[in-house]
Amino acid sequence: MFLKRRFKRLLFSATVLTVSGNLFAAPCCGSGFTIPSIITSDDKAQLATSYTYSRIHADVFTNGDWRRREKKDVTEVYKIEGAHIFQDLYQVGLSVPYQRRTRDGAQSDSSAGLGDISLQLGYEYLPDWDYNPLRPKGIGYLSLILPTGKSIYESDDGSGIDARGRGFWGIGGGSVLTKSWGSWDANFNLEAHYSLPKSVSNDTTTGRVTPSYGGSTALGVGHNWESVRLGGLINWFYEAPTDVTGTTPSEGTLKRYASGSLLMSYLFKSNESIVLSYSDQTLFGSPLNTSLSKSVTLFFQKRWQR
Amino acid sequence: MQGTKALSFFLILFLLGSCAKPRYVDGLEGKLDGITGDCGLLFSTEDLCLKTEWVQKPTESTFGEMTLSFVDRNDDSRFVDPIKDPFIVLWMPSMGHGSSPVKIERVDVGRYRATDIFFIMPGPWDIRYQLRDGFDVLEEKIQKITI
């Protein structure tokens, strides 16, 4: 019974981690705020690597109109994520993305390099050592985003093909809640973040960019059969307007969208699992002022028991 | 079992209620207009009127090109070079970023050619016509478009 429950939790853990790693992606401006690795199982450490292929399907304007993207605009992200428990309830995490973007059209080009690195400190404020039938497991976390990826404001030719990050220091916090009942499980994530303003100077503009707040929430469910888990998840994202002062003053517009994901996890060893997921940003919500992508992620995770 | 059925029912209901309702529009490049009219855009600091004409409208596949004509505010047959530097910025205010730089070269007195005009993503854009002195923007006129 204990082993069966542990198997489910391991599968569940891999799924939560896979999805949380793809939280916010602003196609014009590189990947954005992401939650790094979180240990939601009973393990002491985990290491994961993933590959995501993402293609922009449409753009949504500020008035809610959609327009199909005719030319190929593809982003591939290779990511390494790790997390380790310390003092039983605390954990630290790190996420390092390497990104390649390829675009067709008048500015057909390709560029690759480091994205924004994120660090995390987590605390398990609702432990679940006794597998309580009602109480979920709760992990709170603080995140720090390092602007290691070049942003659109530092783009060499201004085209943004080499923009792999948002370009801002970011701090955030949130909580993940997980729970399983029999062969079913559910997860919930709520996160808020704040990006710090910065001064920019390039061929187009000289001034100060103020990005402000953002947040996301996710709700997922899954069903388990022995070593296989099938799950679904919806993420809602919100980003406050980005205002600019200087030679090109402007007031931004809020961005929002939702992403629906289908995930299949397979636990092929007691401490190793693989996840295949499909995410589609065109299916849910009422998107505004954003580009919408469809993506496939292949994710491999190895864990070490306490 | 009853619980599972109830959960499934509410999940399906929730998913259906959350479905996106896309409202697709076609490409709007064809609706891109040049600046015309009696005075076009008035730069009062130099008493100049600016008129523009597209030579090639930008699309996803091609760069755009336009001609700019500066004429005397009181005599639209007299072409005049602005004292300050003409400059064009393609700016996406909703996102808070620009596009790749536009090149401007002087063709004749009061006549300029702007090339490499390209919008890096669809959406609402500003074409900002500026008169600059180095990094200082002395006057700016904005044409709002959706592409």
Side-chain angles (χ1 to χ4, degrees), chain A:
Chain A
M1 183 66 183
F2 172 78
L3 279 176
K4 195 172 178 183
R5 196 186 289 266
R6 177 175 164 73
F7 259 52
K8 286 174 186 170
R9 184 161 287 197
L10 291 173
L11 276 171
F12 189 23
S13 164
T15 305
V16 171
L17 190 123
T18 307
V19 172
S20 63
N22 297 302
L23 268 182
F24 182 76
C28 71
C29 319
S31 55
F33 197 91
T34 59
I35 297 172
S37 184
I38 294 173
I39 299 174
T40 56
S41 63
D42 299 330
D43 298 297
K44 71 173 180 185
Q46 65 189 22
L47 189 63
T49 181
S50 64
Y51 167 76
T52 299
Y53 179 93
S54 174
R55 177 170 176 169
I56 297 177
H57 173 78
D59 296 275
V60 184
F61 304 162
T62 50
N63 63 358
D65 284 349
W66 294 40
R67 183 171 167 198
R68 280 192 177 83
R69 190 69 77 92
E70 303 296 338
K71 298 294 179 185
K72 191 170 82 171
D73 194 332
V74 168
T75 300
E76 297 165 276
V77 180
Y78 308 85
K79 193 181 285 184
I80 295 176
E81 298 171 300
H84 201 288
I85 297 283
F86 67 100
Q87 291 183 357
D88 267 353
L89 297 176
Y90 289 92
Q91 57 179 284
V92 288
L94 171 71
S95 176
V96 181
Y98 182 84
Q99 184 174 317
R100 173 183 300 279
R101 188 172 176 202
T102 308
R103 184 168 61 194
D104 285 350
Q107 287 187 328
S108 173
D109 204 354
S110 181
S111 177
L114 187 65
D116 285 347
I117 292 175
S118 52
L119 303 168
Q120 172 217 329
L121 175 66
Y123 177 70
E124 190 176 332
Y125 64 91
L126 274 180
D128 192 22
W129 297 118
D130 58 353
Y131 299 115
N132 185 291
L134 295 175
R135 187 184 64 232
K137 183 175 190 172
I139 300 165
Y141 55 84
L142 295 172
S143 296
L144 175 67
I145 308 300
L146 314 177
T148 47
K150 190 182 285 187
S151 80
I152 194 164
Y153 303 105
E154 289 93 32
S155 175
D156 285 340
D157 60 0
S159 72
I161 188 75
D162 51 353
R164 294 178 281 272
R166 291 193 69 209
F168 306 106
W169 285 88
I171 49 174
S175 176
V176 177
L177 294 172
T178 62
K179 190 63 196 170
S180 58
W181 303 272
S183 56
W184 289 90
D185 61 58
N187 62 86
F188 174 77
N189 178 56
L190 183 67
E191 165 269 330
H193 58 265
Y194 177 76
S195 301
L196 277 67
K198 75 170 191 176
S199 297
V200 299
S201 183
N202 55 42
D203 290 340
T204 303
T205 188
T206 299
R208 192 161 179 81
V209 183
T210 307
S212 190
Y213 293 91
S216 65
T217 186
L219 184 63
V221 293
H223 192 274
N224 299 269
W225 297 269
E226 297 299 329
S227 297
V228 175
R229 177 188 185 271
L230 281 179
L233 182 138
I234 303 182
N235 269 311
W236 289 269
F237 304 91
Y238 171 88
E239 204 70 28
T242 297
D243 295 334
V244 179
T245 56
T247 56
T248 52
S250 62
E251 290 184 359
T253 305
L254 68 89
K255 297 177 191 177
R256 67 171 186 236
Y257 67 95
S259 178
S261 303
L262 279 176
L263 308 103
M264 187 174 73
S265 318
Y266 178 66
L267 190 70
F268 59 91
K269 283 184 182 177
S270 63
N271 63 342
E272 292 176 7
S273 55
I274 193 164
V275 182
L276 182 65
S277 75
Y278 170 75
S279 295
D280 195 324
Q281 297 173 352
T282 66
L283 298 177
F284 299 108
S286 177
L288 209 61
N289 191 32
T290 188
S291 300
L292 302 176
S293 300
K294 298 179 180 183
S295 60
V296 176
T297 297
L298 187 62
F299 173 94
F300 174 78
Q301 184 191 60
K302 184 174 175 62
R303 292 170 295 275
W304 289 266
Q305 295 178 10
R306 288 178 193 247

Side-chain angles (χ1 to χ4, degrees), chain B residues 68-100:
Chain B
L68 290 80
S69 303
F70 289 95
V71 295
D72 189 313
R73 180 183 185 177
N74 302 309
D75 178 3
D76 64 4
S77 64
R78 192 169 78 87
F79 290 86
V80 181
D81 280 333
I83 299 167
K84 302 302 180 186
D85 300 324
F87 200 85
I88 292 180
V89 177
L90 307 178
W91 191 255
M92 196 173 203
S94 61
M95 293 279 186
H97 64 70
S99 188
S100 47

Side-chain angles (χ1 to χ4, degrees), chain B residues 94-113:
Chain B
S94 61
M95 293 279 186
H97 64 70
S99 188
S100 47
V102 175
K103 288 179 185 167
I104 295 186
E105 61 175 327
R106 184 175 179 274
V107 179
D108 202 345
V109 175
R111 291 187 174 94
Y112 295 79
R113 179 187 297 123

